[in-house]
Amino acid sequence: MKHRLVSTFFMSFGLSFVMSCWVTFLNLGWSDAFLGQWMEAFRLAWPAAAIAAFFLSPVVQKITGIFAKYLP
């Protein structure tokens, strides 16, 4: 359980950090407000990403195991 929590923490942090940056950039472009808007988007996205990653990771691992059987 400890491993799953730490993994969820880092994966959700990294993905929400990068994705909030990308979506903010697509919506606003590079502007004076970019950094503030990005950090606000990240602040809102990270908790949602952490909860989703925690509950979806067992399902994703099972699906990955099924698909991995068919890979060479």
Side-chain angles (χ1 to χ4, degrees):
M1 179 60 97
K2 193 178 349 180
H3 182 271
R4 186 171 162 202
L5 287 171
V6 172
S7 176
T8 297
F9 174 85
F10 285 115
M11 183 60 74
S12 64
F13 178 88
L15 285 174
S16 59
F17 189 78
V18 171
M19 292 306 298
S20 62
C21 176
W22 178 244
V23 172
T24 302
F25 178 75
L26 290 176
N27 288 329
L28 296 179
W30 194 257
S31 69
D32 292 338
F34 175 78
L35 187 60
Q37 291 294 319
W38 172 25
M39 289 298 106
E40 179 67 13
F42 172 68
R43 183 183 70 80
L44 296 172
W46 191 12
I51 292 167
F54 183 79
F55 288 108
L56 289 175
S57 65
V59 175
V60 171
Q61 289 176 1
K62 286 180 185 174
I63 293 170
T64 301
I66 292 168
F67 279 97
K69 291 178 187 176
Y70 298 105
L71 296 175

Short mmCIF file of all heavy atoms in Angstrom, two decimals:
data_model
loop_
_atom_site.label_atom_id
_atom_site.label_comp_id
_atom_site.label_asym_id
_atom_site.label_seq_id
_atom_site.Cartn_x
_atom_site.Cartn_y
_atom_site.Cartn_z
N MET A 1 0.82 -1.19 0.00
CA MET A 1 0.00 0.00 0.00
C MET A 1 0.87 1.26 0.00
O MET A 1 0.54 2.23 -0.67
CB MET A 1 -0.93 -0.02 1.22
CG MET A 1 -1.81 1.21 1.30
SD MET A 1 -2.90 1.46 -0.09
CE MET A 1 -4.38 0.76 0.52
N LYS A 2 1.98 1.22 0.74
CA LYS A 2 2.88 2.37 0.78
C LYS A 2 3.45 2.67 -0.61
O LYS A 2 3.49 3.82 -1.04
CB LYS A 2 4.02 2.10 1.77
CG LYS A 2 4.79 3.33 2.11
CD LYS A 2 5.92 3.14 3.13
CE LYS A 2 5.97 1.84 3.85
NZ LYS A 2 7.09 1.74 4.80
N HIS A 3 3.83 1.60 -1.31
CA HIS A 3 4.36 1.76 -2.66
C HIS A 3 3.31 2.37 -3.59
O HIS A 3 3.61 3.25 -4.40
CB HIS A 3 4.82 0.40 -3.20
CG HIS A 3 5.41 0.47 -4.57
ND1 HIS A 3 4.66 0.34 -5.70
CD2 HIS A 3 6.68 0.66 -4.97
CE1 HIS A 3 5.43 0.45 -6.75
NE2 HIS A 3 6.67 0.65 -6.34
N ARG A 4 2.08 1.92 -3.46
CA ARG A 4 0.99 2.43 -4.31
C ARG A 4 0.72 3.91 -4.02
O ARG A 4 0.50 4.69 -4.96
CB ARG A 4 -0.27 1.60 -4.07
CG ARG A 4 -1.40 1.95 -4.97
CD ARG A 4 -2.52 0.95 -4.82
NE ARG A 4 -3.74 1.51 -5.36
CZ ARG A 4 -4.93 1.12 -5.04
NH1 ARG A 4 -5.09 0.12 -4.17
NH2 ARG A 4 -5.99 1.67 -5.56
N LEU A 5 0.76 4.31 -2.78
CA LEU A 5 0.54 5.71 -2.43
C LEU A 5 1.66 6.61 -2.96
O LEU A 5 1.39 7.68 -3.51
CB LEU A 5 0.41 5.87 -0.92
CG LEU A 5 -0.89 5.37 -0.31
CD1 LEU A 5 -0.79 5.38 1.21
CD2 LEU A 5 -2.06 6.19 -0.78
N VAL A 6 2.90 6.18 -2.79
CA VAL A 6 4.03 6.98 -3.27
C VAL A 6 4.02 7.06 -4.79
O VAL A 6 4.23 8.12 -5.38
CB VAL A 6 5.37 6.41 -2.74
CG1 VAL A 6 6.56 7.10 -3.38
CG2 VAL A 6 5.43 6.53 -1.23
N SER A 7 3.74 5.94 -5.43
CA SER A 7 3.66 5.91 -6.89
C SER A 7 2.56 6.83 -7.39
O SER A 7 2.75 7.60 -8.35
CB SER A 7 3.42 4.48 -7.36
OG SER A 7 3.24 4.44 -8.74
N THR A 8 1.41 6.79 -6.74
CA THR A 8 0.29 7.66 -7.10
C THR A 8 0.67 9.12 -6.93
O THR A 8 0.35 9.96 -7.78
CB THR A 8 -0.95 7.33 -6.24
OG1 THR A 8 -1.36 5.99 -6.51
CG2 THR A 8 -2.09 8.28 -6.51
N PHE A 9 1.35 9.44 -5.84
CA PHE A 9 1.78 10.81 -5.58
C PHE A 9 2.64 11.34 -6.72
O PHE A 9 2.37 12.40 -7.29
CB PHE A 9 2.56 10.86 -4.26
CG PHE A 9 3.16 12.19 -3.95
CD1 PHE A 9 2.43 13.18 -3.32
CD2 PHE A 9 4.48 12.47 -4.29
CE1 PHE A 9 2.99 14.42 -3.03
CE2 PHE A 9 5.05 13.70 -4.01
CZ PHE A 9 4.31 14.67 -3.38
N PHE A 10 3.68 10.59 -7.09
CA PHE A 10 4.60 11.07 -8.12
C PHE A 10 3.99 11.06 -9.52
O PHE A 10 4.20 12.00 -10.30
CB PHE A 10 5.90 10.25 -8.11
CG PHE A 10 6.79 10.62 -6.96
CD1 PHE A 10 7.06 9.70 -5.97
CD2 PHE A 10 7.35 11.87 -6.84
CE1 PHE A 10 7.88 10.02 -4.89
CE2 PHE A 10 8.16 12.21 -5.78
CZ PHE A 10 8.43 11.29 -4.80
N MET A 11 3.23 10.03 -9.84
CA MET A 11 2.63 9.97 -11.17
C MET A 11 1.59 11.07 -11.35
O MET A 11 1.57 11.75 -12.38
CB MET A 11 1.98 8.60 -11.41
CG MET A 11 1.41 8.44 -12.80
SD MET A 11 2.63 8.62 -14.13
CE MET A 11 3.49 7.09 -13.95
N SER A 12 0.75 11.28 -10.35
CA SER A 12 -0.27 12.33 -10.47
C SER A 12 0.38 13.72 -10.49
O SER A 12 -0.08 14.61 -11.22
CB SER A 12 -1.29 12.22 -9.35
OG SER A 12 -0.69 12.44 -8.09
N PHE A 13 1.44 13.90 -9.71
CA PHE A 13 2.15 15.18 -9.73
C PHE A 13 2.71 15.46 -11.12
O PHE A 13 2.47 16.52 -11.71
CB PHE A 13 3.29 15.20 -8.71
CG PHE A 13 4.08 16.48 -8.72
CD1 PHE A 13 3.69 17.54 -7.94
CD2 PHE A 13 5.20 16.61 -9.52
CE1 PHE A 13 4.42 18.72 -7.95
CE2 PHE A 13 5.93 17.78 -9.55
CZ PHE A 13 5.54 18.85 -8.76
N GLY A 14 3.45 14.50 -11.66
CA GLY A 14 4.09 14.70 -12.96
C GLY A 14 3.10 14.91 -14.09
O GLY A 14 3.24 15.84 -14.89
N LEU A 15 2.08 14.07 -14.15
CA LEU A 15 1.11 14.20 -15.23
C LEU A 15 0.29 15.47 -15.12
O LEU A 15 0.06 16.15 -16.13
CB LEU A 15 0.20 12.97 -15.25
CG LEU A 15 0.84 11.72 -15.82
CD1 LEU A 15 -0.10 10.53 -15.67
CD2 LEU A 15 1.20 11.91 -17.28
N SER A 16 -0.18 15.81 -13.93
CA SER A 16 -0.98 17.03 -13.81
C SER A 16 -0.12 18.28 -14.04
O SER A 16 -0.61 19.26 -14.60
CB SER A 16 -1.70 17.09 -12.47
OG SER A 16 -0.80 17.05 -11.40
N PHE A 17 1.15 18.23 -13.67
CA PHE A 17 2.06 19.35 -13.90
C PHE A 17 2.23 19.60 -15.40
O PHE A 17 2.05 20.71 -15.89
CB PHE A 17 3.41 19.07 -13.24
CG PHE A 17 4.36 20.23 -13.24
CD1 PHE A 17 4.21 21.26 -12.33
CD2 PHE A 17 5.41 20.28 -14.13
CE1 PHE A 17 5.10 22.33 -12.32
CE2 PHE A 17 6.30 21.34 -14.14
CZ PHE A 17 6.15 22.37 -13.22
N VAL A 18 2.54 18.54 -16.13
CA VAL A 18 2.78 18.67 -17.57
C VAL A 18 1.48 18.98 -18.33
O VAL A 18 1.45 19.87 -19.18
CB VAL A 18 3.43 17.39 -18.13
CG1 VAL A 18 3.49 17.40 -19.64
CG2 VAL A 18 4.83 17.22 -17.54
N MET A 19 0.41 18.26 -18.01
CA MET A 19 -0.83 18.45 -18.74
C MET A 19 -1.48 19.80 -18.46
O MET A 19 -2.04 20.42 -19.36
CB MET A 19 -1.81 17.31 -18.44
CG MET A 19 -1.37 15.98 -18.99
SD MET A 19 -1.00 16.00 -20.76
CE MET A 19 -2.57 16.46 -21.44
N SER A 20 -1.40 20.27 -17.22
CA SER A 20 -1.96 21.60 -16.93
C SER A 20 -1.16 22.68 -17.66
O SER A 20 -1.74 23.66 -18.15
CB SER A 20 -2.01 21.87 -15.43
OG SER A 20 -0.72 21.86 -14.86
N CYS A 21 0.15 22.50 -17.78
CA CYS A 21 0.98 23.43 -18.55
C CYS A 21 0.56 23.43 -20.02
O CYS A 21 0.34 24.48 -20.62
CB CYS A 21 2.46 23.06 -18.42
SG CYS A 21 3.55 24.08 -19.43
N TRP A 22 0.41 22.24 -20.57
CA TRP A 22 0.09 22.12 -21.99
C TRP A 22 -1.30 22.72 -22.30
O TRP A 22 -1.45 23.50 -23.24
CB TRP A 22 0.15 20.66 -22.41
CG TRP A 22 -0.22 20.42 -23.82
CD1 TRP A 22 -1.28 19.71 -24.28
CD2 TRP A 22 0.47 20.89 -24.98
NE1 TRP A 22 -1.29 19.71 -25.65
CE2 TRP A 22 -0.23 20.43 -26.11
CE3 TRP A 22 1.60 21.67 -25.17
CZ2 TRP A 22 0.16 20.72 -27.41
CZ3 TRP A 22 2.00 21.95 -26.48
CH2 TRP A 22 1.29 21.48 -27.57
N VAL A 23 -2.29 22.37 -21.51
CA VAL A 23 -3.64 22.87 -21.77
C VAL A 23 -3.72 24.38 -21.52
O VAL A 23 -4.38 25.09 -22.29
CB VAL A 23 -4.67 22.09 -20.92
CG1 VAL A 23 -6.05 22.71 -21.03
CG2 VAL A 23 -4.71 20.64 -21.35
N THR A 24 -3.04 24.87 -20.52
CA THR A 24 -3.02 26.32 -20.28
C THR A 24 -2.37 27.03 -21.45
O THR A 24 -2.86 28.07 -21.91
CB THR A 24 -2.29 26.65 -18.97
OG1 THR A 24 -2.94 25.96 -17.89
CG2 THR A 24 -2.29 28.14 -18.69
N PHE A 25 -1.28 26.47 -21.95
CA PHE A 25 -0.60 27.08 -23.11
C PHE A 25 -1.51 27.06 -24.34
O PHE A 25 -1.58 28.05 -25.08
CB PHE A 25 0.71 26.35 -23.40
CG PHE A 25 1.42 26.89 -24.59
CD1 PHE A 25 2.10 28.10 -24.52
CD2 PHE A 25 1.41 26.21 -25.79
CE1 PHE A 25 2.75 28.62 -25.62
CE2 PHE A 25 2.06 26.71 -26.90
CZ PHE A 25 2.73 27.93 -26.82
N LEU A 26 -2.20 25.94 -24.57
CA LEU A 26 -3.10 25.87 -25.72
C LEU A 26 -4.24 26.89 -25.61
O LEU A 26 -4.66 27.47 -26.61
CB LEU A 26 -3.69 24.47 -25.86
CG LEU A 26 -2.72 23.37 -26.29
CD1 LEU A 26 -3.43 22.03 -26.30
CD2 LEU A 26 -2.12 23.67 -27.65
N ASN A 27 -4.73 27.09 -24.40
CA ASN A 27 -5.86 28.01 -24.21
C ASN A 27 -5.45 29.47 -24.20
O ASN A 27 -6.18 30.32 -24.72
CB ASN A 27 -6.60 27.69 -22.91
CG ASN A 27 -7.40 26.42 -23.02
OD1 ASN A 27 -7.89 26.07 -24.08
ND2 ASN A 27 -7.54 25.71 -21.92
N LEU A 28 -4.29 29.79 -23.61
CA LEU A 28 -3.89 31.20 -23.45
C LEU A 28 -2.75 31.63 -24.35
O LEU A 28 -2.59 32.81 -24.61
CB LEU A 28 -3.46 31.46 -22.00
CG LEU A 28 -4.49 31.31 -20.90
CD1 LEU A 28 -3.85 31.58 -19.55
CD2 LEU A 28 -5.66 32.25 -21.15
N GLY A 29 -1.92 30.67 -24.77
CA GLY A 29 -0.69 31.04 -25.44
C GLY A 29 0.29 31.57 -24.40
O GLY A 29 0.03 31.55 -23.19
N TRP A 30 1.42 32.04 -24.87
CA TRP A 30 2.42 32.58 -23.95
C TRP A 30 2.06 34.03 -23.65
O TRP A 30 2.06 34.88 -24.53
CB TRP A 30 3.80 32.49 -24.57
CG TRP A 30 4.87 32.71 -23.56
CD1 TRP A 30 5.60 33.83 -23.38
CD2 TRP A 30 5.30 31.79 -22.55
NE1 TRP A 30 6.47 33.68 -22.34
CE2 TRP A 30 6.31 32.43 -21.80
CE3 TRP A 30 4.95 30.50 -22.21
CZ2 TRP A 30 6.96 31.82 -20.74
CZ3 TRP A 30 5.59 29.90 -21.16
CH2 TRP A 30 6.59 30.54 -20.43
N SER A 31 1.72 34.32 -22.40
CA SER A 31 1.33 35.67 -22.01
C SER A 31 1.83 35.96 -20.60
O SER A 31 2.38 35.09 -19.94
CB SER A 31 -0.20 35.81 -22.06
OG SER A 31 -0.79 35.05 -21.04
N ASP A 32 1.60 37.18 -20.16
CA ASP A 32 2.00 37.55 -18.80
C ASP A 32 1.21 36.77 -17.74
O ASP A 32 1.70 36.55 -16.65
CB ASP A 32 1.79 39.05 -18.57
CG ASP A 32 2.75 39.90 -19.40
OD1 ASP A 32 3.80 39.36 -19.81
OD2 ASP A 32 2.43 41.08 -19.65
N ALA A 33 0.00 36.36 -18.09
CA ALA A 33 -0.85 35.64 -17.15
C ALA A 33 -0.59 34.13 -17.15
O ALA A 33 -1.17 33.41 -16.34
CB ALA A 33 -2.31 35.90 -17.48
N PHE A 34 0.27 33.67 -18.04
CA PHE A 34 0.44 32.23 -18.22
C PHE A 34 0.85 31.51 -16.94
O PHE A 34 0.21 30.53 -16.54
CB PHE A 34 1.48 31.93 -19.31
CG PHE A 34 1.78 30.47 -19.46
CD1 PHE A 34 0.91 29.64 -20.14
CD2 PHE A 34 2.93 29.92 -18.90
CE1 PHE A 34 1.16 28.29 -20.26
CE2 PHE A 34 3.20 28.58 -19.02
CZ PHE A 34 2.31 27.76 -19.70
N LEU A 35 1.88 31.96 -16.28
CA LEU A 35 2.39 31.26 -15.10
C LEU A 35 1.34 31.17 -13.99
O LEU A 35 1.13 30.10 -13.41
CB LEU A 35 3.67 31.92 -14.58
CG LEU A 35 4.39 31.18 -13.46
CD1 LEU A 35 4.81 29.78 -13.90
CD2 LEU A 35 5.60 31.97 -12.98
N GLY A 36 0.68 32.27 -13.72
CA GLY A 36 -0.35 32.27 -12.68
C GLY A 36 -1.51 31.35 -13.02
O GLY A 36 -2.01 30.60 -12.17
N GLN A 37 -1.95 31.39 -14.27
CA GLN A 37 -3.05 30.53 -14.70
C GLN A 37 -2.63 29.05 -14.69
O GLN A 37 -3.42 28.18 -14.32
CB GLN A 37 -3.52 30.92 -16.10
CG GLN A 37 -4.22 32.25 -16.15
CD GLN A 37 -5.52 32.21 -15.39
OE1 GLN A 37 -6.28 31.25 -15.45
NE2 GLN A 37 -5.80 33.27 -14.64
N TRP A 38 -1.40 28.78 -15.09
CA TRP A 38 -0.90 27.41 -15.08
C TRP A 38 -0.87 26.86 -13.66
O TRP A 38 -1.32 25.75 -13.40
CB TRP A 38 0.47 27.36 -15.73
CG TRP A 38 1.17 26.05 -15.63
CD1 TRP A 38 0.61 24.80 -15.47
CD2 TRP A 38 2.57 25.82 -15.69
NE1 TRP A 38 1.58 23.83 -15.43
CE2 TRP A 38 2.80 24.43 -15.56
CE3 TRP A 38 3.67 26.66 -15.85
CZ2 TRP A 38 4.06 23.88 -15.58
CZ3 TRP A 38 4.92 26.10 -15.88
CH2 TRP A 38 5.12 24.72 -15.75
N MET A 39 -0.34 27.65 -12.73
CA MET A 39 -0.26 27.18 -11.35
C MET A 39 -1.65 26.98 -10.74
O MET A 39 -1.88 26.05 -9.96
CB MET A 39 0.57 28.14 -10.49
CG MET A 39 2.05 28.12 -10.81
SD MET A 39 2.79 26.49 -10.50
CE MET A 39 3.03 25.87 -12.16
N GLU A 40 -2.61 27.81 -11.12
CA GLU A 40 -3.98 27.64 -10.65
C GLU A 40 -4.58 26.36 -11.22
O GLU A 40 -5.23 25.58 -10.52
CB GLU A 40 -4.84 28.85 -11.04
CG GLU A 40 -6.28 28.75 -10.62
CD GLU A 40 -6.49 28.77 -9.11
OE1 GLU A 40 -5.55 29.10 -8.36
OE2 GLU A 40 -7.61 28.45 -8.68
N ALA A 41 -4.35 26.11 -12.50
CA ALA A 41 -4.84 24.88 -13.13
C ALA A 41 -4.18 23.66 -12.49
O ALA A 41 -4.86 22.65 -12.22
CB ALA A 41 -4.56 24.92 -14.63
N PHE A 42 -2.90 23.75 -12.23
CA PHE A 42 -2.19 22.63 -11.59
C PHE A 42 -2.72 22.38 -10.18
O PHE A 42 -2.97 21.23 -9.80
CB PHE A 42 -0.69 22.93 -11.54
CG PHE A 42 0.08 21.93 -10.74
CD1 PHE A 42 0.21 20.62 -11.16
CD2 PHE A 42 0.68 22.31 -9.54
CE1 PHE A 42 0.92 19.70 -10.40
CE2 PHE A 42 1.40 21.41 -8.79
CZ PHE A 42 1.51 20.09 -9.22
N ARG A 43 -2.95 23.44 -9.43
CA ARG A 43 -3.47 23.32 -8.06
C ARG A 43 -4.82 22.60 -8.04
O ARG A 43 -5.10 21.80 -7.16
CB ARG A 43 -3.59 24.70 -7.43
CG ARG A 43 -4.06 24.70 -5.98
CD ARG A 43 -4.23 26.12 -5.45
NE ARG A 43 -5.36 26.80 -6.03
CZ ARG A 43 -6.63 26.64 -5.65
NH1 ARG A 43 -6.92 25.79 -4.70
NH2 ARG A 43 -7.60 27.32 -6.23
N LEU A 44 -5.63 22.86 -9.03
CA LEU A 44 -6.94 22.22 -9.11
C LEU A 44 -6.86 20.81 -9.69
O LEU A 44 -7.67 19.94 -9.34
CB LEU A 44 -7.89 23.08 -9.95
CG LEU A 44 -8.22 24.45 -9.37
CD1 LEU A 44 -9.00 25.28 -10.37
CD2 LEU A 44 -8.98 24.31 -8.06
N ALA A 45 -5.91 20.58 -10.59
CA ALA A 45 -5.83 19.29 -11.28
C ALA A 45 -5.17 18.20 -10.43
O ALA A 45 -5.55 17.03 -10.53
CB ALA A 45 -5.05 19.45 -12.59
N TRP A 46 -4.19 18.57 -9.63
CA TRP A 46 -3.42 17.54 -8.92
C TRP A 46 -4.27 16.68 -7.99
O TRP A 46 -4.17 15.44 -8.05
CB TRP A 46 -2.24 18.17 -8.18
CG TRP A 46 -1.26 17.18 -7.64
CD1 TRP A 46 -1.18 15.85 -7.93
CD2 TRP A 46 -0.22 17.45 -6.72
NE1 TRP A 46 -0.15 15.28 -7.24
CE2 TRP A 46 0.45 16.23 -6.49
CE3 TRP A 46 0.21 18.58 -6.06
CZ2 TRP A 46 1.54 16.14 -5.63
CZ3 TRP A 46 1.29 18.48 -5.21
CH2 TRP A 46 1.95 17.28 -5.00
N PRO A 47 -5.13 17.23 -7.15
CA PRO A 47 -5.94 16.34 -6.29
C PRO A 47 -6.84 15.41 -7.10
O PRO A 47 -6.97 14.23 -6.77
CB PRO A 47 -6.78 17.31 -5.45
CG PRO A 47 -6.04 18.60 -5.50
CD PRO A 47 -5.35 18.64 -6.81
N ALA A 48 -7.43 15.92 -8.17
CA ALA A 48 -8.28 15.07 -9.01
C ALA A 48 -7.45 13.97 -9.67
O ALA A 48 -7.89 12.82 -9.74
CB ALA A 48 -8.98 15.92 -10.06
N ALA A 49 -6.26 14.32 -10.14
CA ALA A 49 -5.39 13.33 -10.76
C ALA A 49 -4.94 12.27 -9.76
O ALA A 49 -4.86 11.08 -10.09
CB ALA A 49 -4.17 14.02 -11.38
N ALA A 50 -4.67 12.68 -8.54
CA ALA A 50 -4.23 11.73 -7.50
C ALA A 50 -5.34 10.74 -7.17
O ALA A 50 -5.09 9.53 -7.08
CB ALA A 50 -3.79 12.48 -6.25
N ILE A 51 -6.55 11.23 -7.03
CA ILE A 51 -7.67 10.33 -6.72
C ILE A 51 -7.93 9.38 -7.89
O ILE A 51 -8.10 8.17 -7.69
CB ILE A 51 -8.93 11.16 -6.38
CG1 ILE A 51 -8.72 11.89 -5.05
CG2 ILE A 51 -10.17 10.28 -6.33
CD1 ILE A 51 -9.74 12.96 -4.76
N ALA A 52 -7.93 9.91 -9.10
CA ALA A 52 -8.16 9.07 -10.27
C ALA A 52 -7.05 8.03 -10.42
O ALA A 52 -7.33 6.85 -10.67
CB ALA A 52 -8.23 9.94 -11.53
N ALA A 53 -5.81 8.43 -10.26
CA ALA A 53 -4.69 7.50 -10.39
C ALA A 53 -4.75 6.40 -9.33
O ALA A 53 -4.47 5.23 -9.62
CB ALA A 53 -3.36 8.24 -10.30
N PHE A 54 -5.11 6.76 -8.12
CA PHE A 54 -5.17 5.77 -7.03
C PHE A 54 -6.21 4.70 -7.32
O PHE A 54 -5.96 3.51 -7.16
CB PHE A 54 -5.47 6.46 -5.70
CG PHE A 54 -5.47 5.51 -4.54
CD1 PHE A 54 -4.27 5.10 -3.97
CD2 PHE A 54 -6.65 5.02 -4.03
CE1 PHE A 54 -4.26 4.21 -2.91
CE2 PHE A 54 -6.65 4.14 -2.95
CZ PHE A 54 -5.45 3.73 -2.40
N PHE A 55 -7.38 5.12 -7.78
CA PHE A 55 -8.45 4.15 -7.99
C PHE A 55 -8.38 3.45 -9.35
O PHE A 55 -8.88 2.33 -9.48
CB PHE A 55 -9.82 4.82 -7.81
CG PHE A 55 -10.11 5.12 -6.37
CD1 PHE A 55 -10.08 6.42 -5.91
CD2 PHE A 55 -10.37 4.11 -5.46
CE1 PHE A 55 -10.33 6.71 -4.56
CE2 PHE A 55 -10.61 4.38 -4.12
CZ PHE A 55 -10.60 5.68 -3.68
N LEU A 56 -7.78 4.09 -10.34
CA LEU A 56 -7.69 3.47 -11.66
C LEU A 56 -6.47 2.58 -11.83
O LEU A 56 -6.46 1.71 -12.71
CB LEU A 56 -7.67 4.55 -12.75
CG LEU A 56 -8.98 5.29 -12.98
CD1 LEU A 56 -8.78 6.40 -13.99
CD2 LEU A 56 -10.05 4.33 -13.44
N SER A 57 -5.44 2.76 -11.02
CA SER A 57 -4.20 2.01 -11.23
C SER A 57 -4.38 0.49 -11.16
O SER A 57 -3.80 -0.22 -11.99
CB SER A 57 -3.10 2.48 -10.29
OG SER A 57 -3.43 2.21 -8.95
N PRO A 58 -5.17 -0.08 -10.26
CA PRO A 58 -5.34 -1.53 -10.28
C PRO A 58 -6.00 -2.03 -11.56
O PRO A 58 -5.60 -3.06 -12.12
CB PRO A 58 -6.23 -1.82 -9.07
CG PRO A 58 -6.08 -0.65 -8.18
CD PRO A 58 -5.83 0.51 -9.08
N VAL A 59 -6.98 -1.28 -12.06
CA VAL A 59 -7.66 -1.66 -13.30
C VAL A 59 -6.69 -1.57 -14.48
O VAL A 59 -6.64 -2.48 -15.32
CB VAL A 59 -8.89 -0.76 -13.53
CG1 VAL A 59 -9.55 -1.05 -14.86
CG2 VAL A 59 -9.88 -0.90 -12.39
N VAL A 60 -5.94 -0.49 -14.53
CA VAL A 60 -4.98 -0.30 -15.62
C VAL A 60 -3.91 -1.39 -15.60
O VAL A 60 -3.52 -1.91 -16.64
CB VAL A 60 -4.35 1.11 -15.55
CG1 VAL A 60 -3.20 1.25 -16.52
CG2 VAL A 60 -5.41 2.16 -15.81
N GLN A 61 -3.46 -1.78 -14.41
CA GLN A 61 -2.46 -2.85 -14.32
C GLN A 61 -3.01 -4.18 -14.80
O GLN A 61 -2.32 -4.94 -15.48
CB GLN A 61 -1.95 -2.96 -12.88
CG GLN A 61 -1.07 -1.80 -12.50
CD GLN A 61 -0.63 -1.85 -11.04
OE1 GLN A 61 -0.97 -2.77 -10.31
NE2 GLN A 61 0.11 -0.84 -10.63
N LYS A 62 -4.28 -4.47 -14.51
CA LYS A 62 -4.89 -5.71 -15.00
C LYS A 62 -5.02 -5.69 -16.52
O LYS A 62 -4.70 -6.68 -17.19
CB LYS A 62 -6.26 -5.92 -14.36
CG LYS A 62 -6.19 -6.34 -12.92
CD LYS A 62 -7.57 -6.52 -12.33
CE LYS A 62 -7.45 -6.83 -10.84
NZ LYS A 62 -8.76 -6.89 -10.18
N ILE A 63 -5.48 -4.58 -17.07
CA ILE A 63 -5.62 -4.46 -18.52
C ILE A 63 -4.25 -4.56 -19.19
O ILE A 63 -4.10 -5.21 -20.22
CB ILE A 63 -6.33 -3.14 -18.89
CG1 ILE A 63 -7.77 -3.19 -18.40
CG2 ILE A 63 -6.26 -2.87 -20.37
CD1 ILE A 63 -8.51 -1.86 -18.49
N THR A 64 -3.25 -3.95 -18.59
CA THR A 64 -1.89 -4.02 -19.13
C THR A 64 -1.40 -5.46 -19.14
O THR A 64 -0.78 -5.90 -20.11
CB THR A 64 -0.93 -3.14 -18.30
OG1 THR A 64 -1.40 -1.80 -18.32
CG2 THR A 64 0.48 -3.20 -18.83
N GLY A 65 -1.67 -6.20 -18.08
CA GLY A 65 -1.28 -7.61 -18.04
C GLY A 65 -1.93 -8.42 -19.13
O GLY A 65 -1.29 -9.28 -19.74
N ILE A 66 -3.18 -8.14 -19.41
CA ILE A 66 -3.88 -8.86 -20.48
C ILE A 66 -3.26 -8.53 -21.84
O ILE A 66 -2.97 -9.43 -22.63
CB ILE A 66 -5.38 -8.50 -20.46
CG1 ILE A 66 -6.04 -9.06 -19.20
CG2 ILE A 66 -6.08 -9.01 -21.71
CD1 ILE A 66 -7.43 -8.53 -18.93
N PHE A 67 -3.04 -7.28 -22.12
CA PHE A 67 -2.47 -6.87 -23.39
C PHE A 67 -1.02 -7.31 -23.54
O PHE A 67 -0.57 -7.63 -24.65
CB PHE A 67 -2.59 -5.37 -23.61
CG PHE A 67 -3.94 -4.94 -24.09
CD1 PHE A 67 -4.89 -4.48 -23.21
CD2 PHE A 67 -4.27 -5.01 -25.44
CE1 PHE A 67 -6.14 -4.09 -23.63
CE2 PHE A 67 -5.52 -4.63 -25.88
CZ PHE A 67 -6.46 -4.16 -24.98
N ALA A 68 -0.28 -7.30 -22.46
CA ALA A 68 1.14 -7.66 -22.52
C ALA A 68 1.34 -9.11 -22.94
O ALA A 68 2.38 -9.45 -23.52
CB ALA A 68 1.81 -7.39 -21.19
N LYS A 69 0.37 -9.95 -22.68
CA LYS A 69 0.47 -11.37 -23.09
C LYS A 69 0.56 -11.50 -24.60
O LYS A 69 1.13 -12.48 -25.10
CB LYS A 69 -0.73 -12.15 -22.58
CG LYS A 69 -0.79 -12.33 -21.09
CD LYS A 69 -2.04 -13.08 -20.71
CE LYS A 69 -2.21 -13.12 -19.20
NZ LYS A 69 -3.48 -13.76 -18.80
N TYR A 70 -0.01 -10.56 -25.31
CA TYR A 70 -0.06 -10.65 -26.77
C TYR A 70 1.11 -9.95 -27.46
O TYR A 70 1.20 -9.99 -28.68
CB TYR A 70 -1.38 -10.06 -27.28
CG TYR A 70 -2.56 -10.83 -26.76
CD1 TYR A 70 -3.35 -10.31 -25.74
CD2 TYR A 70 -2.87 -12.09 -27.26
CE1 TYR A 70 -4.44 -11.02 -25.24
CE2 TYR A 70 -3.95 -12.82 -26.78
CZ TYR A 70 -4.73 -12.27 -25.76
OH TYR A 70 -5.79 -12.99 -25.27
N LEU A 71 1.96 -9.32 -26.70
CA LEU A 71 3.13 -8.65 -27.27
C LEU A 71 4.27 -9.64 -27.47
O LEU A 71 4.44 -10.56 -26.68
CB LEU A 71 3.59 -7.50 -26.37
CG LEU A 71 2.59 -6.34 -26.20
CD1 LEU A 71 3.12 -5.35 -25.18
CD2 LEU A 71 2.33 -5.68 -27.53
N PRO A 72 5.04 -9.45 -28.52
CA PRO A 72 6.17 -10.38 -28.75
C PRO A 72 7.25 -10.25 -27.70
O PRO A 72 7.41 -9.29 -27.05
CB PRO A 72 6.68 -9.98 -30.12
CG PRO A 72 6.13 -8.64 -30.41
CD PRO A 72 4.94 -8.44 -29.52
#
